[in-house]
Amino acid sequence: MFTNLARLSRGIRLSASASCSRSLRTSAQHHLGWATSTTPSSSAVNPAEVEAMQCLEEGTQKLEDGDVQAAKDLYKRSVDIKRTASGLFNLGVTHYHLKEYDDAIACWKESIALQPSSPDAHTNLASAYIVSPVSRPDLALHHLRVASSLAPEDGEIAFNLAAVLEACGHLEESLEQYQKSKDFGVDRAAMHMRNVSAKILGKKLKEAEAQQGKDEPST
């Protein structure tokens, strides 16, 4: 039922790189904290955190270059040094591209635990739940609803939510979300609005015919 949901998002969203290609939507950049001394005028840089950030940036460059395995190794190194929401987020991206969906889900769940307010993490997690061997549309819907509440003006999230709602048979709500998506600039939502409207009309006609059959006296 969900084979047509490859259109989910503009692609899996990536964190912590302002130079990602358009196929990898960039979320707000997460900065690692610095260890500060007790005096306001001085600070100490934690070398481990610097290395973790460097691995994160190098991993993103590898991913942009198409070397997913190298990116995964660098992101894993970053996470091993310091578990951050952005490190786990991007490690999840590489697992997803390598079709390691359980690992991707685990990374994004932990990333959300560290930063619950990330709509991108919820969106990616929803995508993983859809394409995993044991599809969980119920969990995908939950996380897309959360993502939509966190980013109510994101037309792509609204489109993704509408697509899953349509696949699950929630046609009226799906139509509302496609309309919202269109209002926020996703032009392709218009075609899906027409398709869902036709499905709703067809459903109502079938229900009317069924009710008419019940009301007719038997001979």
Side-chain angles (χ1 to χ4, degrees), residues 21-198:
S21 64
R22 290 294 295 166
S23 63
L24 295 172
R25 179 167 175 181
T26 307
S27 69
Q29 182 162 347
H30 309 290
H31 294 282
L32 291 174
W34 305 108
T36 57
S37 68
T38 55
T39 52
S41 60
S42 64
S43 63
V45 175
N46 185 329
E49 292 186 346
V50 173
E51 184 181 358
M53 177 59 80
Q54 183 177 354
C55 289
L56 192 65
E57 293 174 350
E58 291 177 359
T60 297
Q61 185 58 56
K62 289 292 185 183
L63 193 58
E64 289 179 334
D65 293 341
D67 192 342
V68 179
Q69 185 59 53
K72 174 183 168 181
D73 294 341
L74 284 161
Y75 288 146
K76 188 174 187 306
R77 170 68 175 160
S78 177
V79 167
D80 287 343
I81 295 170
K82 183 175 178 64
R83 300 185 83 77
T84 63
S86 53
L88 288 159
F89 187 108
N90 288 0
L91 181 58
V93 169
T94 60
H95 282 306
Y96 184 95
H97 283 306
L98 293 170
K99 302 186 186 304
E100 299 165 348
Y101 299 121
D102 288 345
D103 290 331
I105 288 169
C107 284
W108 287 329
K109 287 174 70 174
E110 188 175 353
S111 179
I112 288 170
L114 293 172
Q115 188 178 17
S117 61
S118 169
D120 292 339
H122 285 284
T123 298
N124 285 3
L125 187 52
S127 296
Y129 278 129
I130 288 296
V131 301
S132 61
V134 181
S135 184
R136 290 297 305 271
D138 55 328
L139 294 177
L141 278 177
H142 167 73
H143 286 285
L144 284 170
R145 290 185 196 280
V146 173
S148 182
S149 69
L150 292 170
E153 296 185 1
D154 190 315
E156 289 290 342
I157 290 176
F159 185 94
N160 295 347
L161 178 55
V164 178
L165 286 165
E166 179 186 355
C168 292
H170 305 303
L171 299 179
E172 287 79 7
E173 189 179 357
S174 172
L175 184 60
E176 293 175 3
Q177 291 298 323
Y178 279 132
Q179 179 65 65
K180 179 180 176 181
S181 177
K182 181 176 179 292
D183 291 343
F184 286 113
V186 182
D187 294 336
R188 67 186 185 281
M191 178 184 69
H192 295 280
M193 289 174 64
R194 292 191 293 270
N195 292 341
V196 172
S197 295

Side-chain angles (χ1 to χ4, degrees), residues 8-24:
L8 278 174
S9 82
R10 281 166 254 179
I12 289 298
R13 304 177 175 200
L14 188 70
S15 172
S17 171
S19 60
C20 291
S21 64
R22 290 294 295 166
S23 63
L24 295 172

